[in-house]
Each structure stands twice: as C-alpha cells, then as structure tokens.
Amino acid sequence: MGARGFGLAAAVSPDVIRGAASACEALGYRTFWVNDTPDGDGLAALAAAAAVTSRIALGVGVLPLTRWTPERIVERVRALDLPLDRLRLGIGSGTGPGALERVRSGALALRAALACEVVVAALGPRMCRLAGEVADAVLFNWLTPDHVQRSTQWVAEGARRADRPLPRRYAYVRVALGSAAVPRLQEEAARYERFPGYREHFARMGVPALATAVAVERAEELAAALAPWEIVLDETVVRAITAGDRLDEVLALVEAAAPGRQLGSGGQLTS
C-alpha cells in the first residue's frame, strides 16, 4: 500500500492551512499539499505550513507555467525560504499551445536550480510520457484506480526512453466526509468537466468526474474507499472537500483519513 498525503485549496484561510498542516504532521501523513490559483498563492500557503511543521513533506500541486515562469518560481521559493529537503514542487502546462515543450524546459530548469523534488502534473499519454522522461514524480488528478495503471504504463514508456527509473506516482483523490460536503464535491466535479482538457480526460476514462472521487457518510468508511487507489499508487493525496472550508471541518477529515486509522471493535476509530 502506498503512503498518504493531505491536500487543501491554497485559498483557504492561513489559520486553516497552519492547523491542518500541524495536525497532518502529528498524525503521520507523509505530505501536505496545496494547489495554486489566482486567488490562492500556493507557495505562500506552503510557507505558512512550513512555519508550524518540521518533518512532513510540503507539496504544491501545481504551478501553471503560463502564470509562473521557472525563474519566478525559483525567486519565490528562495524568498519564502521554503525547506528544499521537504519541498515537492509541482508544475503544470497551463493553457495554450506548446504545452509539452513548456513543461520539459520548465522541469529541467527547476531541477538544475533547486535541490527539491520536481513533480509534473499529467493527464494524457504525451504528458505522462514526458513526466517519465524529466520529472522526479508525477501528479495525477481526477482518475480512477484502473486509469492509474494505464497512466503508469505511459509514464514508464517515457522513463524507459530516457533510461531512468520510474518517477514516483502521486494522485489527488477528492474526498468528501458527510452529506453536507457532497454539494461542494458535485460543484467541483461539474466545474472540472467544463475544462476542455479534463473533458478529454474523463472521455478517455469513460467515466464522469464524480466516479474518480470518494464521498462517505462516516469516517470508518474511508479506509476501504481509498484502498483501490492506495494499492496502485506510491502516494494517495486526500484532497479535502468540505462544506465550508472551516478549520473544524478540515480537522475532522484529517483525523478520519489519518494513516493507519481503522475501526476498532467498539465502533470507534483507533490507530
């Protein structure tokens, strides 16, 4: 079984970032991740997480290279004094033509400039093969366990072509705990289905976005629900979907999905 990480939107409040990161480290998660959006600075959010942790790896998934140049990324990582030994620096193609070359040159530039793990976000076969050629790790998103295996074959083809080891394989898996979070999950799924690249991705898999996510009513159902991904990945990132992004909601999910948690004989979660 692969390791487990936890992920949030960078746009949530800094108090939520700090509280969740600290709890994840205490509960044994391997990584803590944030995304990066125009209204949520992923690297700044990682700096907030770094300030309250000392061991857990910190990932940004991902910085789009049409909004972040490699030079700007390096400058920002150094200015924020992010811990390179814990940093998983995720990059994506962004929008527009030239995606493959943009990611290839960006990954190579970042690997040369920063002593951290460079992670490439990949959906389709060409980007998966490129990740196999140039990345330390690949980040999948919105995919079924079966498609993890298909995507791994593409990544492995690229790695063989470059005569290098298979990069580590991570994936965001959206997780909603409790009925109050389900409308947010449905909204998120519908939003991604409107993006052309993701429409192709879901068509390639033959499933809607919600088929790649987890929604459970009770915490004790999470381990079994996540197991199909954990069997085929090096690391499964529980990408939190909560009703209101409040700290109490996020911490409830952090606790419920904590590595090694299982249902005890008395019906309570134990470690």
Side-chain angles (χ1 to χ4, degrees):
M1 297 281 277
R4 192 173 294 177
F6 193 87
L8 286 174
V12 304
S13 78
D15 286 345
V16 172
I17 295 289
R18 288 189 289 266
S22 180
C24 285
E25 180 167 89
L27 287 168
Y29 286 86
R30 182 175 290 179
T31 54
F32 178 77
W33 293 77
V34 295
N35 65 356
D36 181 86
T37 57
D39 61 347
D41 183 332
L43 293 178
L46 286 191
V52 296
T53 60
S54 60
R55 302 181 309 279
I56 193 168
L58 303 171
V60 59
V62 294
L63 302 171
L65 293 175
T66 47
R67 191 154 48 81
W68 287 87
T69 65
E71 295 77 16
R72 175 61 176 148
I73 293 170
V74 172
E75 176 186 317
R76 187 86 165 123
V77 166
R78 289 174 175 164
L80 291 168
D81 196 24
L82 292 175
L84 296 181
D85 60 329
R86 293 197 280 148
L87 180 60
R88 293 181 172 177
L89 186 61
I91 58 172
S93 64
T95 58
L100 291 171
E101 185 50 42
R102 189 160 54 244
V103 171
R104 180 187 298 277
S105 60
L108 294 175
L110 291 168
R111 290 185 73 198
L114 295 171
C116 66
E117 184 176 277
V118 174
V119 184
V120 166
L123 292 180
R126 290 185 297 168
M127 193 63 75
C128 284
R129 292 184 186 107
L130 177 60
E133 290 182 39
V134 302
D136 300 309
V138 57
L139 179 63
F140 302 131
N141 197 13
W142 292 101
L143 82 176
T144 63
D146 284 347
H147 201 70
V148 170
Q149 298 184 73
R150 186 181 184 192
S151 300
T152 295
Q153 291 173 354
W154 295 330
V155 175
E157 288 170 10
R160 285 194 298 270
R161 187 160 59 197
D163 193 23
R164 59 194 304 267
L166 181 71
R168 286 172 288 279
R169 297 157 304 132
Y170 313 138
Y172 277 177
V173 178
R174 263 70 175 180
V175 176
L177 174 63
S179 56
V182 170
R184 284 286 299 276
L185 177 59
Q186 293 170 331
E187 177 185 329
E188 177 106 335
R191 182 167 64 88
Y192 271 82
E193 287 176 341
R194 291 193 292 270
F195 298 148
Y198 277 94
R199 277 204 305 270
E200 290 181 24
H201 175 61
F202 297 128
R204 197 159 39 233
M205 289 188 292
V207 299
L210 283 174
T212 73
V214 168
V216 296
E217 189 61 35
R218 299 184 304 276
E220 57 266 28
E221 298 171 319
L222 266 177
L226 288 169
W229 282 273
E230 294 187 315
I231 290 169
V232 294
L233 286 164
D234 297 306
E235 184 172 311
T236 302
V237 180
V238 174
R239 177 60 171 83
I241 303 293
T242 65
D245 293 329
R246 299 195 317 264
L247 181 57
D248 62 323
E249 296 170 335
V250 171
L251 290 180
L253 184 50
V254 169
E255 176 77 18
R261 290 301 168 96
Q262 57 188 359
L263 190 63
S265 58
Q268 300 295 314
L269 284 174
T270 61
S271 55

